[in-house]
Amino acid sequence: MGKRKVGALEKVDADLPSLQYKIRRDPISYKEEFLSQYYQYESHREIFMRAPASTTDSGIVSLRDLIDFISHVAACYPDVTAKFPEDLMQILSSHHAELESELREKIVSSLVLLRKKEIIDSSALLQTLFPILTTTPSKTLRTLLFQKILSDLRSSNSKTTNHKLNRTIQTVLYNLLTADRASSKGIWAVKLTRELWKRQIWTDSKAVEIMKEASLADNEKVIIGGVRFFLGGDKEREELEDESSDDGGVDLGKLKHQMGINKKTKKKAKVMERAVVTVKKKEKKKNQPHLLNFSALHLLHDPQGFAELLFSKHLQNTKSKLSLEHKLLVLQLVSRLVGLHKLTVISLYSYFLKYLTPRQPSVTSFLASLAQSTHSLVPPDVLEPLVQKIANEFVSEAAAAEVASAGLNAIREICVRQPLAMNDTLLQDLVMYRKSKDKGVVMAAKGLLSLYRDVGADLLKKRDRGKEAAMRIHSGEMKEKRFGEEEPGEIEGIELLEKWKEEERLRKRAEKGLPEDGEQDAEQEEDDEEDWGAWDVEEDHSDDSGGWINVESDDEINISDDEDGKPPSKRVKLDDSASKSDDKENRSMEKNLEPERKIPTLATTRILTPADLAKLQELRLEASVNKLLPPAQRKRAAAMAKQQSRHIDDPLTATEIEGLNSLSSKATKAEKVALAKEGKADRSEHKSTQAIRQAKKEAQGKSTTNREKARKKNFLMTLGKAKGKQKKSLVERGRVLKAHVERGKRGGRRGNK
């Protein structure tokens, strides 16, 4: 058979990979061959640049293969290929719309390869690719360019944050949004920023400012992209972080067990080494300090101005072309900003009035936005008409149970944030719905009642106040809350820690035989070093550490204003001739003589160490009243505290406004069965507990016992052993039983104890 003739293009395909391999091994020896190929590339490029549309298929294939070849070996001849990256950038920038798809992808991948070989820098690559991304009509090219830009930014920030590159790209994206607000090109700035924020590559305020400008754009897609970022960008980042921490788990114990039992091979040894490296890397990452990632809403420079611009441009403006669904998203963002930063946008609350009807689509979302935009600095006069309208429209005997439940829940959420928005007449009417026949309405009304027992029991009737609220009103502990009044910020229980530290200092000085008053600087430095070294609180070996907490009786507590510090003398019973006016004056003086609260200075004079914080938590638990409550009440108090803390920062959803609507409608049989099966393992057939455990063990790759293996053994393989047992004599049977008993005492055949 004669030798087949090889065409010119096939020779190039056959020669270039082998030449590439040879040049990498010995660049100096094959420089002439490389130069000949490079001259061919230049001739093909000149032909293409003169007439891009009339280039033949063979010329395009040759140019594509030569570009691929030169980009792989360009690092071996940097002086010859100095203009090669610029030529590729010029071809891609000038003729990306006319290029053949494979040649275009090859040029993009070659530029990325040159970036990986550090022949060109990231800024030059991104400044070439990003303008093409925003102008090209090709969907495949846009997808490719977006992936390449994103991967390059990730690799540039993998080891350390590349601030210079990040600032350059952020400025380009910011200018893209502000140059033409009506253009749809800004959607690429939104996509890129959101993806980098989700992967925690950009976590600064500059990225938030880009999305702020996107929210204020004139293009609908760009607006909704920016708004959705503020509403869900942080949640996406947390979900991605959780997925990355859960994925790729390596069971090192299982691999070691398999290595000890199975046959040793080089492949299994390499798998074991890789697993060890992975586990060590995860442990190192787990022990690293957790970065403090602020929410995007907290990084806004001017939240008041941003909220006002959003409201006036997209909601109040009659020329706005946003649909109702998109307007609702903008409204959620504005209400979230107002509630989180305690902003004042008075016109926002009158905007809600026309949407507060049960016939309004997505009315629960409007109710959630209204509750979310309420805070303690909103004037009660502004909120009272809204609360009254919700009560009139939603909460009535003619309304459906689901509607009444949603209305009561919305009123409760508003009053949690601003209790002064309620008057006594309306509150007493709403509380009466706890006697309704519907469970959802009853639970919503009881929630409103329990709220005002804590924050405003004086608005309730005496029979509705409850025992604890009545006692607090009678003792004067519950004071009427005034508008604009804020509680002073402090660390809960810091005075307990300060007192404990003072007692410990006095005890140590007493053990050393030193006077109580002395210099504290050296002692404090020693304590700080000990506390930073130990993350757990030192155990107290005193007798009182694990027992009852000693509480002083009323007789032992002495309050004295005398300079001598002597306890006051006991009260002597007065004669009948003493005037009653003196008794009244004494009682009033005793009420006024309250001990002045000492302001703790521990948090302002020193940094609390981890041991201090652990001890503070322990002291809080000891001093807490919840410790003395039954478990059911303690759980309820913890749930109430969790619910109150949720209102500080977390968003309020329509599902929470709907509340317990499922109690109002009777569930079907299918829903009841689904509810009963929820949380249980899916059983296709009935199995015993032992069979379920065995299946779970097999799924985990664990081995079985010898008894289980014997049960599954083929019957014909067991006949010989069975016949041997039948032929045993009585002496042999006794010897076997004796050996079995001794083996059991020894701990098995291997002597495992």
Side-chain angles (χ1 to χ4, degrees):
M1 184 176 178
K3 188 176 180 182
R4 187 176 68 89
K5 293 184 178 181
V6 182
L9 293 178
E10 291 180 344
K11 281 184 179 180
V12 171
D13 290 337
D15 292 338
L16 286 180
S18 61
L19 182 59
Q20 177 183 326
Y21 172 72
K22 293 173 182 176
I23 289 173
R24 282 181 176 178
R25 294 191 66 182
D26 191 3
I28 300 173
S29 302
Y30 292 92
K31 187 172 182 179
E32 295 297 329
E33 287 81 355
F34 171 76
L35 288 173
S36 64
Q37 298 295 336
Y38 190 76
Y39 295 149
Q40 287 186 25
Y41 152 74
E42 286 185 337
S43 62
H44 281 294
R45 185 183 63 82
E46 288 176 2
I47 294 170
F48 175 82
M49 293 299 287
R50 286 176 185 173
S54 61
T55 308
T56 60
D57 293 340
S58 59
I60 290 174
V61 172
S62 301
L63 181 61
R64 187 180 65 203
D65 293 336
L66 287 168
I67 288 173
D68 185 32
F69 166 71
I70 296 171
S71 61
H72 277 89
V73 297
C76 300
Y77 308 103
D79 51 345
V80 180
T81 60
K83 294 183 179 180
F84 178 69
E86 295 178 4
D87 296 340
L88 294 183
M89 291 177 187
Q90 184 183 3
I91 294 172
L92 189 63
S93 302
S94 305
H95 306 286
H96 61 85
E98 304 166 0
L99 285 172
E100 192 257 343
S101 59
E102 293 185 3
L103 177 59
R104 190 171 54 193
E105 291 179 6
K106 181 61 68 178
I107 293 174
V108 173
S109 59
S110 298
L111 285 172
V112 174
L113 181 62
L114 294 174
R115 162 68 189 94
K116 289 180 180 178
K117 293 178 177 292
E118 297 183 353
I119 297 174
I120 59 174
D121 56 350
S122 290
S123 59
L125 175 66
L126 296 175
Q127 286 174 3
T128 303
L129 298 183
F130 192 76
I132 303 172
L133 174 67
T134 57
T135 55
T136 180
S138 174
K139 187 176 180 181
T140 54
L141 181 59
R142 287 199 304 265
T143 306
L144 176 66
L145 292 177
F146 183 76
Q147 292 175 353
K148 297 299 183 184
I149 290 171
L150 186 62
S151 61
D152 185 69
L153 285 170
R154 287 181 63 187
S155 60
S156 300
N157 291 274
S158 59
K159 295 181 179 179
T160 56
T161 306
N162 193 341
H163 293 286
K164 185 178 179 181
L165 178 64
N166 291 342
R167 292 298 179 200
T168 304
I169 302 302
Q170 286 170 352
T171 305
V172 171
L173 299 181
Y174 187 86
N175 294 336
L176 180 67
L177 287 166
T178 54
D180 186 5
R181 293 187 178 275
S183 175
S184 61
K185 294 179 182 179
I187 194 66
W188 292 107
V190 172
K191 287 183 178 180
L192 196 60
T193 307
R194 186 166 185 173
E195 193 68 25
L196 293 170
W197 178 272
K198 185 173 74 173
R199 299 182 183 278
Q200 299 188 24
I201 298 170
W202 288 357
T203 55
D204 55 349
S205 59
K206 187 73 174 176
V208 177
E209 288 297 318
I210 293 172
M211 303 307 284
K212 174 184 171 182
E213 293 298 327
S215 303
L216 297 173
D218 296 331
N219 186 276
E220 187 174 356
K221 288 185 178 180
V222 180
I223 293 168
I224 299 307
V227 171
R228 288 185 187 277
F229 167 77
F230 285 107
L231 292 176
D234 300 318
K235 190 176 180 181
E236 289 178 356
R237 184 169 63 178
E238 292 172 2
E239 289 175 356
L240 185 67
E241 188 176 359
D242 294 340
E243 289 175 6
S244 62
S245 61
D246 294 340
D247 292 345
V250 180
D251 191 356
L252 201 59
K254 180 181 175 182
L255 288 174
K256 285 183 178 179
H257 179 70
Q258 291 176 352
M259 285 288 291
I261 293 175
N262 298 339
K263 185 180 178 181
K264 278 77 174 174
T265 60
K266 289 184 178 180
K267 183 179 178 181
K268 291 179 181 178
K270 288 181 180 179
V271 170
M272 186 67 185
E273 289 176 3
R274 284 197 295 268
V276 171
V277 171
T278 306
V279 169
K280 286 183 178 179
K281 192 182 292 183
K282 281 196 171 187
E283 288 294 327
K284 185 179 179 181
K285 189 176 180 181
K286 191 186 295 183
N287 295 330
Q288 285 179 349
H290 185 70
L291 296 175
L292 185 61
N293 291 325
F294 288 99
S295 170
L297 296 171
H298 287 95
L299 292 174
L300 284 168
H301 177 62
D302 182 17
Q304 176 73 39
F306 181 43
E308 290 177 354
L309 279 173
L310 274 176
F311 180 65
S312 61
K313 188 171 184 178
H314 300 315
L315 298 178
Q316 274 188 327
N317 189 9
T318 55
K319 296 181 180 179
S320 177
K321 297 180 181 179
L322 295 179
S323 62
L324 179 64
E325 182 184 356
H326 292 162
K327 280 187 176 181
L328 188 55
L329 287 173
V330 177
L331 183 62
Q332 288 174 359
L333 176 57
V334 174
S335 61
R336 185 92 187 274
L337 284 168
V338 171
L340 181 63
H341 294 281
K342 294 190 175 181
L343 309 177
T344 304
V345 186
I346 300 298
S347 55
L348 172 65
Y349 303 99
S350 59
Y351 177 81
F352 281 103
L353 280 170
K354 60 181 178 182
Y355 296 106
L356 298 180
T357 57
R359 295 175 297 278
Q360 172 67 39
S362 306
V363 67
T364 51
S365 298
F366 282 101
L367 291 172
S369 300
L370 173 58
Q372 202 166 224
S373 63
T374 307
H375 53 85
S376 59
L377 299 181
V378 179
D381 300 339
V382 177
L383 295 173
E384 280 183 9
L386 294 167
V387 175
Q388 189 69 48
K389 183 168 185 181
I390 293 172
N392 295 338
E393 294 281 346
F394 291 82
V395 189
S396 63
E397 295 179 356
E402 294 87 353
V403 175
S405 174
L408 286 169
N409 283 329
I411 292 173
R412 183 189 178 280
E413 293 294 339
I414 292 171
C415 295
V416 162
R417 294 159 171 80
Q418 179 54 285
L420 300 176
M422 180 68 69
N423 57 62
D424 53 352
T425 307
L426 180 59
L427 179 61
Q428 290 165 11
D429 290 343
L430 296 177
V431 164
M432 291 299 293
Y433 280 90
R434 73 185 190 277
K435 297 180 181 178
S436 173
K437 294 181 180 179
D438 186 80
K439 289 183 181 179
V441 177
V442 169
M443 297 298 289
K446 284 185 176 180
L448 185 63
L449 176 62
S450 62
L451 169 67
Y452 272 92
R453 281 178 175 174
D454 292 335
V455 299
D458 51 339
L459 297 177
L460 296 167
K461 292 182 178 179
K462 287 186 178 180
R463 66 187 180 198
D464 297 332
R465 290 175 181 173
K467 183 179 177 182
E468 294 181 5
M471 290 175 63
R472 281 189 289 163
I473 291 175
H474 183 70
S475 62
E477 293 180 11
M478 183 177 290
K479 298 179 181 179
E480 184 180 357
K481 193 173 182 180
R482 293 179 293 181
F483 173 66
E485 184 180 0
E486 293 284 343
E487 296 181 358
E490 60 180 10
I491 301 175
E492 183 185 355
I494 191 65
E495 65 277 357
L496 299 172
L497 182 63
E498 188 172 8
K499 183 181 177 183
W500 177 80
K501 279 191 167 296
E502 183 64 23
E503 291 175 356
E504 285 293 309
R505 188 185 71 83
L506 295 176
R507 183 180 62 80
K508 288 180 180 179
R509 292 186 69 85
E511 289 177 357
K512 295 178 181 178
L514 300 173
E516 294 184 356
D517 298 332
E519 296 182 357
Q520 303 179 13
D521 295 339
E523 296 175 2
Q524 189 170 348
E525 289 179 2
E526 292 177 3
D527 294 342
D528 289 346
E529 291 177 0
E530 293 176 1
D531 290 347
W532 282 111
W535 284 84
D536 297 328
V537 182
E538 297 176 0
E539 294 182 359
D540 190 3
H541 296 286
S542 61
D543 297 331
D544 297 333
S545 59
W548 293 89
I549 301 171
N550 295 326
V551 180
E552 296 179 346
S553 62
D554 295 339
D555 296 332
E556 295 174 353
I557 301 175
N558 298 320
I559 301 171
S560 174
D561 292 334
D562 297 339
E563 295 180 357
D564 299 333
K566 296 179 181 179
S569 58
K570 291 183 179 180
R571 188 180 301 170
V572 182
K573 187 176 180 181
L574 300 174
D575 298 332
D576 295 337
S577 59
S579 62
K580 295 181 179 179
S581 61
D582 295 335
D583 293 338
K584 292 179 181 178
E585 291 177 2
N586 291 335
R587 291 193 194 102
S588 63
M589 288 291 290
E590 288 174 0
K591 288 181 181 178
N592 293 331
L593 286 177
E594 295 181 356
E596 294 184 0
R597 184 183 175 189
K598 184 182 177 183
I599 300 174
T601 59
L602 183 63
T604 57
T605 55
R606 60 173 291 176
I607 299 173
L608 296 181
T609 62
D612 290 340
L613 297 175
K615 187 64 182 179
L616 178 61
Q617 185 68 23
E618 181 185 337
L619 294 171
R620 280 181 195 161
L621 183 62
E622 290 181 359
S624 176
V625 180
N626 294 338
K627 189 181 178 183
L628 306 176
L629 293 175
Q633 295 184 20
R634 199 182 309 163
K635 188 176 180 181
R636 198 180 307 130
M640 183 70 72
K642 184 179 180 182
Q643 189 176 14
Q644 289 175 354
S645 64
R646 176 185 61 81
H647 293 297
I648 298 171
D649 199 0
D650 295 342
L652 186 67
T653 60
T655 308
E656 295 171 7
I657 293 293
E658 293 169 6
L660 302 172
N661 283 348
S662 58
L663 298 177
S664 301
S665 57
K666 290 186 177 180
T668 61
K669 184 177 180 181
E671 291 175 351
K672 290 179 181 179
V673 171
L675 186 63
K677 288 183 177 180
E678 187 178 354
K680 293 183 179 180
D682 185 18
R683 294 188 180 183
S684 56
E685 57 180 353
H686 178 72
K687 291 182 180 180
S688 63
T689 308
Q690 191 173 1
I692 294 171
R693 288 176 183 169
Q694 183 63 29
K696 192 183 294 184
K697 187 186 286 187
E698 289 177 359
Q700 293 174 355
K702 294 182 179 179
S703 180
T704 56
T705 61
N706 290 336
R707 184 174 295 179
E708 291 169 348
K709 289 174 182 174
R711 286 178 61 192
K712 293 182 179 181
K713 206 168 188 178
N714 190 0
F715 176 71
L716 295 175
M717 296 175 68
T718 61
L719 285 177
K721 191 174 182 181
K723 288 179 181 178
K725 283 185 178 181
Q726 291 176 359
K727 294 179 181 179
K728 283 182 182 179
S729 64
L730 190 61
V731 177
E732 289 176 345
R733 289 174 184 271
R735 191 182 299 118
V736 170
L737 288 173
K738 188 176 180 182
H740 174 72
V741 172
E742 290 179 354
R743 191 163 54 245
K745 290 179 181 179
R746 193 169 63 245
R749 191 177 297 275
R750 296 182 180 179
N752 299 324
K753 293 183 180 179

CSV table of all heavy atoms in Angstrom, one decimal, residues 501 508 520-534 602 605-612:
chain,number,residue,atom,x,y,z
A,501,LYS,N,-14.9,41.3,89.4
A,501,LYS,CA,-13.5,41.6,89.2
A,501,LYS,C,-12.9,42.3,90.5
A,501,LYS,O,-11.8,42.0,90.9
A,501,LYS,CB,-13.2,42.4,88.0
A,501,LYS,CG,-13.2,41.6,86.7
A,501,LYS,CD,-12.7,42.5,85.5
A,501,LYS,CE,-12.4,41.6,84.3
A,501,LYS,NZ,-11.3,40.7,84.6
A,508,LYS,N,-7.4,38.2,96.0
A,508,LYS,CA,-5.9,37.9,95.7
A,508,LYS,C,-5.0,38.8,96.6
A,508,LYS,O,-4.0,38.3,97.0
A,508,LYS,CB,-5.7,38.2,94.2
A,508,LYS,CG,-6.3,37.2,93.3
A,508,LYS,CD,-6.0,37.5,91.8
A,508,LYS,CE,-6.6,36.5,90.9
A,508,LYS,NZ,-6.3,36.8,89.5
A,520,GLN,N,-3.0,49.1,91.0
A,520,GLN,CA,-3.7,48.0,90.3
A,520,GLN,C,-3.1,47.8,88.9
A,520,GLN,O,-3.5,46.9,88.2
A,520,GLN,CB,-5.2,48.4,90.1
A,520,GLN,CG,-5.9,48.6,91.4
A,520,GLN,CD,-7.3,49.0,91.2
A,520,GLN,OE1,-7.9,48.8,90.2
A,520,GLN,NE2,-8.0,49.5,92.3
A,521,ASP,N,-2.2,48.6,88.4
A,521,ASP,CA,-1.7,48.5,87.1
A,521,ASP,C,-1.0,47.2,86.8
A,521,ASP,O,-1.3,46.5,85.8
A,521,ASP,CB,-0.8,49.7,86.7
A,521,ASP,CG,-1.5,51.0,86.8
A,521,ASP,OD1,-2.7,51.0,86.7
A,521,ASP,OD2,-0.8,52.1,86.9
A,522,ALA,N,-0.1,46.8,87.6
A,522,ALA,CA,0.7,45.6,87.4
A,522,ALA,C,-0.2,44.4,87.5
A,522,ALA,O,-0.1,43.4,86.7
A,522,ALA,CB,1.8,45.5,88.4
A,523,GLU,N,-1.1,44.4,88.5
A,523,GLU,CA,-2.1,43.3,88.7
A,523,GLU,C,-3.0,43.1,87.4
A,523,GLU,O,-3.3,42.0,87.0
A,523,GLU,CB,-2.9,43.4,89.9
A,523,GLU,CG,-2.1,43.4,91.2
A,523,GLU,CD,-2.9,43.7,92.4
A,523,GLU,OE1,-4.1,43.9,92.2
A,523,GLU,OE2,-2.4,43.7,93.5
A,524,GLN,N,-3.4,44.3,87.0
A,524,GLN,CA,-4.4,44.3,85.8
A,524,GLN,C,-3.7,43.7,84.6
A,524,GLN,O,-4.3,43.0,83.8
A,524,GLN,CB,-4.9,45.7,85.6
A,524,GLN,CG,-6.0,45.7,84.6
A,524,GLN,CD,-6.7,47.1,84.5
A,524,GLN,OE1,-6.5,47.9,85.4
A,524,GLN,NE2,-7.5,47.3,83.5
A,525,GLU,N,-2.4,44.1,84.4
A,525,GLU,CA,-1.7,43.6,83.2
A,525,GLU,C,-1.5,42.1,83.3
A,525,GLU,O,-1.7,41.4,82.3
A,525,GLU,CB,-0.3,44.3,83.1
A,525,GLU,CG,-0.4,45.7,82.7
A,525,GLU,CD,1.0,46.4,82.6
A,525,GLU,OE1,1.9,45.7,82.9
A,525,GLU,OE2,1.0,47.6,82.3
A,526,GLU,N,-1.2,41.6,84.5
A,526,GLU,CA,-1.1,40.1,84.6
A,526,GLU,C,-2.4,39.4,84.4
A,526,GLU,O,-2.4,38.4,83.7
A,526,GLU,CB,-0.6,39.8,86.1
A,526,GLU,CG,0.9,40.3,86.3
A,526,GLU,CD,1.3,40.0,87.8
A,526,GLU,OE1,0.4,39.4,88.5
A,526,GLU,OE2,2.4,40.3,88.2
A,527,ASP,N,-3.5,40.0,84.9
A,527,ASP,CA,-4.8,39.4,84.6
A,527,ASP,C,-5.1,39.4,83.2
A,527,ASP,O,-5.7,38.4,82.7
A,527,ASP,CB,-5.9,40.1,85.4
A,527,ASP,CG,-5.7,39.9,86.9
A,527,ASP,OD1,-4.9,39.0,87.3
A,527,ASP,OD2,-6.3,40.7,87.7
A,528,ASP,N,-4.8,40.4,82.5
A,528,ASP,CA,-5.1,40.5,81.0
A,528,ASP,C,-4.4,39.5,80.3
A,528,ASP,O,-4.9,38.8,79.4
A,528,ASP,CB,-4.8,41.9,80.5
A,528,ASP,CG,-5.7,43.0,81.0
A,528,ASP,OD1,-6.8,42.6,81.5
A,528,ASP,OD2,-5.4,44.2,80.9
A,529,GLU,N,-3.1,39.3,80.6
A,529,GLU,CA,-2.3,38.2,79.9
A,529,GLU,C,-2.9,36.9,80.1
A,529,GLU,O,-2.9,36.0,79.2
A,529,GLU,CB,-0.8,38.3,80.3
A,529,GLU,CG,-0.1,39.6,79.9
A,529,GLU,CD,1.3,39.6,80.4
A,529,GLU,OE1,1.7,38.7,81.1
A,529,GLU,OE2,2.0,40.6,80.1
A,530,GLU,N,-3.3,36.6,81.4
A,530,GLU,CA,-3.9,35.3,81.7
A,530,GLU,C,-5.2,35.1,80.9
A,530,GLU,O,-5.5,34.0,80.4
A,530,GLU,CB,-4.1,35.2,83.2
A,530,GLU,CG,-2.8,35.1,84.0
A,530,GLU,CD,-3.1,35.1,85.5
A,530,GLU,OE1,-4.3,35.1,85.8
A,530,GLU,OE2,-2.2,35.0,86.3
A,531,ASP,N,-6.0,36.2,80.9
A,531,ASP,CA,-7.3,36.1,80.2
A,531,ASP,C,-7.2,35.8,78.7
A,531,ASP,O,-7.9,35.1,78.1
A,531,ASP,CB,-8.1,37.3,80.5
A,531,ASP,CG,-8.6,37.4,81.9
A,531,ASP,OD1,-8.4,36.4,82.6
A,531,ASP,OD2,-9.0,38.5,82.4
A,532,TRP,N,-6.2,36.5,78.1
A,532,TRP,CA,-6.0,36.4,76.6
A,532,TRP,C,-5.5,35.0,76.3
A,532,TRP,O,-5.7,34.4,75.2
A,532,TRP,CB,-5.1,37.5,76.1
A,532,TRP,CG,-5.8,38.8,75.9
A,532,TRP,CD1,-5.6,39.9,76.6
A,532,TRP,CD2,-6.9,39.1,75.0
A,532,TRP,NE1,-6.4,40.9,76.1
A,532,TRP,CE2,-7.2,40.4,75.1
A,532,TRP,CE3,-7.5,38.3,74.0
A,532,TRP,CZ2,-8.2,41.0,74.4
A,532,TRP,CZ3,-8.5,39.0,73.2
A,532,TRP,CH2,-8.8,40.3,73.5
A,533,GLY,N,-4.7,34.5,77.2
A,533,GLY,CA,-4.1,33.1,77.0
A,533,GLY,C,-5.2,32.0,77.1
A,533,GLY,O,-5.1,31.0,76.5
A,534,ALA,N,-6.1,32.2,78.0
A,534,ALA,CA,-7.1,31.2,78.3
A,534,ALA,C,-8.5,31.7,77.7
A,534,ALA,O,-8.9,32.7,78.0
A,534,ALA,CB,-7.3,30.9,79.8
A,602,LEU,N,-16.1,49.8,83.5
A,602,LEU,CA,-15.2,48.7,83.0
A,602,LEU,C,-15.1,48.7,81.5
A,602,LEU,O,-14.0,48.6,81.0
A,602,LEU,CB,-15.7,47.4,83.5
A,602,LEU,CG,-14.9,46.2,83.2
A,602,LEU,CD1,-13.5,46.3,83.9
A,602,LEU,CD2,-15.6,44.9,83.6
A,605,THR,N,-12.8,51.6,80.2
A,605,THR,CA,-11.4,51.8,80.7
A,605,THR,C,-10.5,50.6,80.3
A,605,THR,O,-9.3,50.7,80.4
A,605,THR,CB,-11.4,51.8,82.2
A,605,THR,OG1,-12.1,50.7,82.8
A,605,THR,CG2,-12.1,53.1,82.7
A,606,ARG,N,-11.1,49.5,79.8
A,606,ARG,CA,-10.3,48.4,79.3
A,606,ARG,C,-11.0,47.6,78.3
A,606,ARG,O,-12.2,47.7,78.1
A,606,ARG,CB,-9.9,47.5,80.5
A,606,ARG,CG,-11.1,46.9,81.2
A,606,ARG,CD,-10.6,45.9,82.3
A,606,ARG,NE,-10.1,44.7,81.6
A,606,ARG,CZ,-9.6,43.7,82.3
A,606,ARG,NH1,-9.5,43.8,83.7
A,606,ARG,NH2,-9.1,42.6,81.7
A,607,ILE,N,-10.2,46.8,77.5
A,607,ILE,CA,-10.8,45.9,76.5
A,607,ILE,C,-11.2,44.6,77.2
A,607,ILE,O,-10.3,44.0,77.8
A,607,ILE,CB,-9.8,45.7,75.4
A,607,ILE,CG1,-9.4,47.0,74.7
A,607,ILE,CG2,-10.3,44.7,74.3
A,607,ILE,CD1,-8.3,46.9,73.7
A,608,LEU,N,-12.4,44.2,76.9
A,608,LEU,CA,-12.9,42.9,77.5
A,608,LEU,C,-12.2,41.8,76.7
A,608,LEU,O,-12.3,41.7,75.5
A,608,LEU,CB,-14.4,42.8,77.4
A,608,LEU,CG,-15.2,43.9,78.2
A,608,LEU,CD1,-16.7,43.7,78.0
A,608,LEU,CD2,-14.8,43.8,79.7
A,609,THR,N,-11.6,40.9,77.5
A,609,THR,CA,-10.9,39.7,76.9
A,609,THR,C,-12.0,38.6,76.7
A,609,THR,O,-13.1,38.6,77.2
A,609,THR,CB,-9.8,39.2,77.9
A,609,THR,OG1,-10.4,38.8,79.1
A,609,THR,CG2,-8.8,40.3,78.1
A,610,PRO,N,-11.6,37.5,75.9
A,610,PRO,CA,-12.5,36.4,75.8
A,610,PRO,C,-12.9,35.8,77.1
A,610,PRO,O,-14.1,35.3,77.2
A,610,PRO,CB,-11.7,35.4,74.9
A,610,PRO,CG,-10.8,36.3,74.2
A,610,PRO,CD,-10.4,37.4,75.1
A,611,ALA,N,-12.0,35.7,78.0
A,611,ALA,CA,-12.4,35.1,79.3
A,611,ALA,C,-13.4,36.0,80.1
A,611,ALA,O,-14.3,35.5,80.8
A,611,ALA,CB,-11.1,34.9,80.2
A,612,ASP,N,-13.2,37.4,79.9
A,612,ASP,CA,-14.2,38.3,80.5
A,612,ASP,C,-15.6,38.1,79.9
A,612,ASP,O,-16.6,38.1,80.6
A,612,ASP,CB,-13.8,39.7,80.3
A,612,ASP,CG,-12.5,40.1,81.1
A,612,ASP,OD1,-12.3,39.4,82.1
A,612,ASP,OD2,-11.8,41.1,80.7
